Amino acid sequence: MSEPQVTIVVSPRERFSCTQASLESIYENTQIPFKLVYVDGGSPAKIKRYLEEQAQEKQFQLIRTEHYLSPNKARNLGLAQVNTEYVVFIDNDVVVTPGWLQQLVKCAEETNATIVSPLICQGEPVHEEVHCAGGESGVKIETKGDRTRRRIIEKIYKQGRKVADVRPQLQRQQTGLAEFHCMMVRTAIFEKVGMLDEALLNTKEHVDFCMTVMEAGGNVYLEPDSLVTYVPGPPLELTDIPFYMLRWSDAWELASLHRLRDKWNLTEDEYFKNRYNGLGWRRKMTIIKPFSQKISKMVLKRPSKKVEELLVNIDKTLNKYLTDRYARKQPLVEQSQTPQLLQQKTPTTV
């Protein structure tokens, strides 16, 4: 077998309960040689045991921390172990289709692409609804009189469309946006741009990375012959909720937006104001609304906006407490708990 060109780095997105389905899909549907580094940031005991068993069986490298990780922190832990020509960043709630990786590599080899994105789908049934088919990212400079505004550009193509409807029109092409649900990157670019920005704790890190790569002279391609799906909640398992609440906390999102604004010298316009006003929307949709509907149905026998509003207020208070608690503990964690390389043998090639 030839030496692998690619290392797959799997990292936590927002929950752990899709771990087995995602990992199994990678091994079942990847026909070319690869290395795999799995970053496990504080998963519950059942998932921890499963990953340890799989690392022993399949001989991949498992990096474990006993605390939760922000996405770019987790990706950087994996990236530090990569010595292949390409790295694939993929979230732990993504399932792939046969030939997905081969097509990404083929695209990079034939186009000299820096980043290659598959056609990314969303939800279940898998591989049926488009999440991202490329897009746009950048900074738009607008001048009016003596006032100049720098505005963020982020546009995702074909989101919400049925794959069957759009696939015949899609072809390999240069684009302006890829998402960290799954993207392949030529590792040489990191010598120019450095590691991923860990100050972006939970949002827009893909926009920042694509902009950084293109500013450094790199490019982004869409390869629709590679197809993957990310499977979000709800429902969440109970063991998913603490990580989900931290991952999508108000504090992390606010810090990320401020970092994006300051890093790219962006004007704090309607885009940012709308994001500030919408803090916590993911928790509301994924945790609060389902819980509110369940309580209302059981107790009041009808939907109740007041129950939902009460739960939103409780969530805001609890979320702040959890985030503050994590922030107080984190400096001690970083000093006392370095990531544990649970499996350091050379990963088996497929």
Side-chain angles (χ1 to χ4, degrees), residues 41-251:
S43 70
K46 180 180 177 181
I47 301 298
K48 177 184 177 182
R49 289 193 298 271
Y50 169 76
L51 288 173
E52 289 172 347
E53 292 167 359
Q54 291 300 303
Q56 290 291 335
E57 177 184 323
K58 295 182 171 63
Q59 293 293 285
F60 61 77
Q61 188 176 47
L62 178 60
I63 301 174
R64 165 82 183 183
T65 66
E66 296 302 325
H67 56 283
Y68 299 139
L69 296 167
S70 64
N72 271 357
K73 175 68 174 178
R75 294 179 190 117
N76 278 341
L77 288 174
L79 179 59
Q81 305 300 315
V82 174
N83 58 10
T84 50
E85 185 175 358
Y86 302 106
V87 58
V88 170
F89 296 109
I90 189 167
D91 290 336
N92 69 338
D93 58 359
V94 171
V95 294
V96 303
T97 60
W100 72 285
L101 184 59
Q102 185 174 352
Q103 293 299 330
L104 294 179
V105 173
K106 182 180 179 183
C107 177
E109 295 287 288
E110 293 178 357
T111 66
N112 199 35
T114 311
I115 298 174
V116 184
S117 170
L119 176 58
I120 302 174
C121 297
Q122 60 189 17
E124 296 179 298
V126 296
H127 314 318
E128 291 189 7
E129 182 177 290
V130 175
H131 176 72
C132 180
E136 302 171 23
S137 65
V139 176
K140 182 179 181 180
I141 301 175
E142 298 177 343
T143 302
K144 189 174 182 180
D146 59 353
R147 184 183 178 189
T148 300
R149 297 201 305 175
R150 292 173 56 86
R151 307 185 68 177
I152 189 73
I153 298 171
E154 182 194 10
K155 186 174 182 180
I156 299 173
Y157 294 157
K158 310 296 185 184
Q159 190 169 83
R161 301 282 300 277
K162 293 297 182 183
V163 172
D165 294 337
V166 302
R167 183 63 190 89
Q169 292 84 46
L170 292 176
Q171 58 185 355
R172 178 193 296 173
Q173 60 186 296
Q174 193 164 344
T175 188
L177 187 70
E179 292 210 358
F180 276 123
H181 294 297
C182 180
M183 72 164 72
M184 191 178 78
V185 184
R186 194 178 295 270
T187 52
I189 192 64
F190 294 104
E191 297 175 6
K192 292 184 178 180
V193 303
M195 303 290 271
L196 302 174
D197 189 347
E198 295 181 15
L200 292 163
L201 294 170
N202 81 344
T203 190
K204 305 309 172 191
E205 66 269 31
H206 64 293
V207 178
D208 170 76
F209 182 60
C210 290
M211 289 165 59
T212 299
V213 166
M214 290 187 289
E215 192 176 64
N219 53 33
V220 183
Y221 270 79
L222 169 71
E223 179 47 80
D225 285 343
S226 175
L227 181 68
V228 307
T229 297
Y230 99 97
V231 186
L236 298 177
E237 294 188 4
L238 285 176
T239 51
D240 290 327
I241 291 176
F243 177 46
Y244 191 96
M245 291 188 71
L246 178 67
R247 166 69 164 93
W248 296 117
S249 63
D250 293 355

Side-chain angles (χ1 to χ4, degrees), residues 272-287:
F272 285 97
K273 292 174 184 176
N274 289 336
R275 292 300 302 268
Y276 300 155
N277 289 334
L279 292 176
W281 70 268
R282 290 180 187 268
R283 303 194 310 276
K284 183 177 180 179
M285 296 302 296
T286 306
I287 300 174

Side-chain angles (χ1 to χ4, degrees), residues 293-304:
Q293 290 167 359
K294 189 174 183 179
I295 291 177
S296 298
K297 186 176 180 180
M298 290 174 58
V299 179
L300 303 175
K301 310 301 182 184
R302 58 179 174 80
S304 172

